[in-house]
Structure formats: C-alpha cells, structure tokens
Amino acid sequence: MSLNTLKIGIIGLGNMSGAILKGLLKAGVLPENVVGMASSPQQATLRQAEYGVTCTTLELAQDALSQVDLLILGVKPFVMPAVLADLEGITLKAKAVVVSIAAGTTLATIGESLPNTAIVRAMPNTPALVGQGFSALSANAYVDENQKKLAESVFEAVGKAVWLEEGQINAFTGLFGSGPAYVFYIMEALVEAGLAEGLAPDLVEAGVLQLVKGSALLLEARATTASQLKAEVVTPNGTTAKGLEALAAADVSGALVDAVHAATRRAEELSKNV
Ligand SMILES: NC(=O)c1ccc[n+]([C@@H]2O[C@H](COP(=O)([O-])OP(=O)(O)OC[C@H]3O[C@@H](n4cnc5c(N)ncnc54)[C@H](OP(=O)(O)O)[C@@H]3O)[C@@H](O)[C@H]2O)c1
C-alpha cells in the first residue's frame, strides 16, 4: 500500500509519535488521511494546531478508527491499559495493523484486547526526533509480509528499523533505547574534561558535538569497525595511547557493559509489571 493512500489513526500524539507523524507526512502520507487522538477535546485542539491533522478523542473517533489501515498506539505505558480497554469494542478493518510504541507492553497484552489482530510492538529511540532513530520491531503471528513492510516504512520515516524476536526487545532497549543517554553522558564528561584543561566553554561544547558527529560519520563512510578506526588514531607512546591507557585503567568499557546489563534487567522488570 502506498503512503499517499494510507489511512492512519494515532492515539497519543506526544514526543515520539509526533516525530513519527512528522516523518510520515514528509514521506508522503496525506494530512487529511490522519486522525490523531488526544486525552481530552482541549488537548485535541492543541495537537490539531501543532500537527495540522484532524485531532479528536478516542471516544469521538469510533467511525474514523474503523477505516484506518494503521493504528499507532503512542501513549505512555501506564495509560495503555485504559486505551486497550477502550479499544475492546472497536472493529478495525480486516487488514489493519496496530503498532504500539509503549515500552514494556507485550504483544500478548495488546492481543488480549485486540484478538485476531495484526500487532507490531516497536521500540524507537529519541534520535527519531531528528529522523535518525534506531527502532526494533516485533510482530505477532497475524502480521503478514505486506503489513510488515508497512510497519517498517513507519519507522524508516524516522531512521533505521530492524526486526527482532520479542524476547530480544529488552536487550535492545537496554542498549539502543537507553543508548542516547550513554552517549550524552560521555559527551558531558568530555565537556567537563575540556573545561578542566582550561578551554573556553563555547569551544568545548561545540567541539564535543563536532567530535561525536564527525567520528560517527567517519565510521559510516569508512564502513569499518570502531576498533580499526581507534587503532588508526594511536601512535605508540603518543597522546592517544596515554588517554586510552587511562580509560582502560578505569575500566570504562566494563562500566558500559554494566550499564547496558542494568538497563536490560530493568526493562525486563518493567515489562513484567505493565
Ligand atoms: N521517548 C522515548 O525515548 C521513547 C522511546 C521508546 C518508546 N517510547 C514510548 O513512546 C510512548 C510515548 O512516549 P513519549 O515520550 O512520546 O510521551 P509523551 O510525549 O507524554 O506522549 C504521550 C501522549 O499521549 C497523550 N495521551 C495521554 N493520555 C491519553 C489518552 N487517554 N488518549 C489519547 N492520548 C493520550 C498525551 O497527550 P495529551 O494529554 O495532550 O493528549 C501525550 O502527548 C511511551 O509509551 C514510551 O514508552 C518512548
């Protein structure tokens, strides 16, 4: 199905689903084919002005819902039980696909409210807000190849997307969902380090951004490994060698492994409680 004929419903037009909507509109979805659903008529008015698509509430959108090809569930995990309960009486189109971005809410939980329905559970990350996200997608048994392509195109509108078994979503969350915060943590530390060496704040802030951006683009352009590019910067007994020795002595790589492990365990705990 081409994007310019696709009818889309979005429940909860917040940061993440708002970014997805912007990506979809840029990719060719027509604003008149989208209906957004907010928490109240007042909020719907605000979202309508913000995104330029019709917005209403779930209660008032029953007719529109029965016509959508794609229904995105974009509310916070704690709001999901109420939204799923409201969806129980709804008849969706036979070929409609439901895509949830709620962290921790499983395909089985969504399927209890929407039986015999094609459902995709997605885990995007915040660089999706600038079209550079990395999203994991898992499908239930009702999702066919065309619906898979459709779900993929939603997340490719805001970056890259991969398919995973649902059992790996927690690990994906611990590494890539939380990952932007690890990168920002390292950037913060480098800014502190530059200031401690007497460099000017403006120079250090802009420089650390350019450092991370330039390094990522270099890695992409060279299509090699980070290890290889790291080795290319090192001269024996040179400056980088001394810096890397300090990182190894503090076991910074071990700390990052611990961070991903802790976040993955927490994602597991949260998905048991949702
Ligand atoms: N941000 C991330 O890094 C990230 C990453 C992966 C997954 N996610 C998932 O994405 C989802 C949304 O996160 P977010 O950061 O975009 O949150 P958010 O900005 O708070 O968006 C949620 C939206 O839901 C709306 N809402 C609340 N109750 C509603 C209801 N009953 N019916 C319709 N809309 C309702 C809220 O707006 P109004 O009250 O104005 O209607 C709000 O705009 C979460 O489930 C989160 O787990 C986020």
Side-chain angles (χ1 to χ4, degrees):
M1 172 167 289
S2 86
L3 288 178
N4 62 7
T5 56
L6 193 70
K7 288 197 171 7
I8 304 178
I10 306 178
I11 304 178
L13 260 178
N15 287 321
M16 191 52 80
S17 49
I20 291 170
L21 172 59
K22 284 181 187 161
L24 286 170
L25 293 173
K26 224 168 152 185
V29 166
L30 302 177
E32 57 268 35
N33 286 343
V34 180
V35 59
M37 283 148 272
S39 60
S40 66
Q42 293 75 13
Q43 289 302 103
T45 306
L46 293 176
R47 301 289 168 229
Q48 184 155 322
E50 191 177 351
Y51 293 103
V53 301
T54 300
C55 280
T56 178
T57 60
L58 185 47
E59 297 71 40
L60 297 174
Q62 312 280 313
D63 285 348
L65 277 178
S66 64
Q67 291 169 36
V68 300
D69 305 296
L70 171 71
L71 177 61
I72 298 175
L73 308 180
V75 295
K76 291 275 191 194
F78 72 90
V79 182
M80 280 291 277
V83 165
L84 289 173
D86 285 345
L87 287 175
E88 276 176 17
I90 304 252
T91 308
L92 293 172
K93 262 175 142 175
K95 283 279 162 202
V97 55
V98 174
V99 173
S100 162
I101 60 169
T105 307
T106 63
L107 289 168
T109 299
I110 302 166
E112 281 167 21
S113 297
L114 295 167
N116 309 318
T117 305
I119 302 167
V120 171
R121 174 180 170 193
M123 171 50 62
N125 66 3
T126 52
L129 303 180
V130 291
Q132 293 294 333
F134 187 42
S135 306
L137 311 179
S138 285
N140 75 355
Y142 296 97
V143 178
D144 66 25
E145 278 310 308
N146 286 335
Q147 291 168 323
K148 265 189 147 182
K149 281 195 195 119
L150 173 59
E152 226 171 272
S153 65
V154 170
F155 292 91
E156 282 174 352
V158 288
K160 293 187 190 299
V162 291
W163 287 96
L164 283 185
E165 290 302 319
E166 192 177 21
Q168 293 195 303
I169 290 269
N170 290 326
F172 184 95
T173 304
L175 177 50
F176 300 110
S178 305
Y182 310 149
V183 174
F184 296 134
Y185 178 94
I186 292 166
M187 291 172 79
E188 251 184 319
L190 289 172
V191 167
E192 286 301 317
L195 296 178
E197 296 301 329
L199 294 173
D202 287 359
L203 179 149
V204 175
E205 296 272 357
V208 167
L209 172 60
Q210 183 61 15
L211 170 68
V212 173
K213 194 169 144 190
S215 304
L217 288 174
L218 177 64
L219 180 57
E220 186 177 50
R222 288 279 304 277
T224 179
T225 60
S227 297
Q228 171 63 29
L229 292 184
K230 185 183 71 178
E232 288 178 17
V233 190
V234 182
T235 311
N237 207 28
T239 58
T240 311
K242 288 289 165 209
L244 289 173
E245 270 172 38
L247 288 174
D251 194 20
V252 172
S253 67
L256 288 169
V257 171
D258 289 347
V260 173
H261 185 70
T264 302
R265 299 290 85 79
R266 183 66 183 139
E268 284 168 3
E269 279 169 23
L270 290 175
S271 54
K272 282 180 197 136
N273 297 332
V274 174

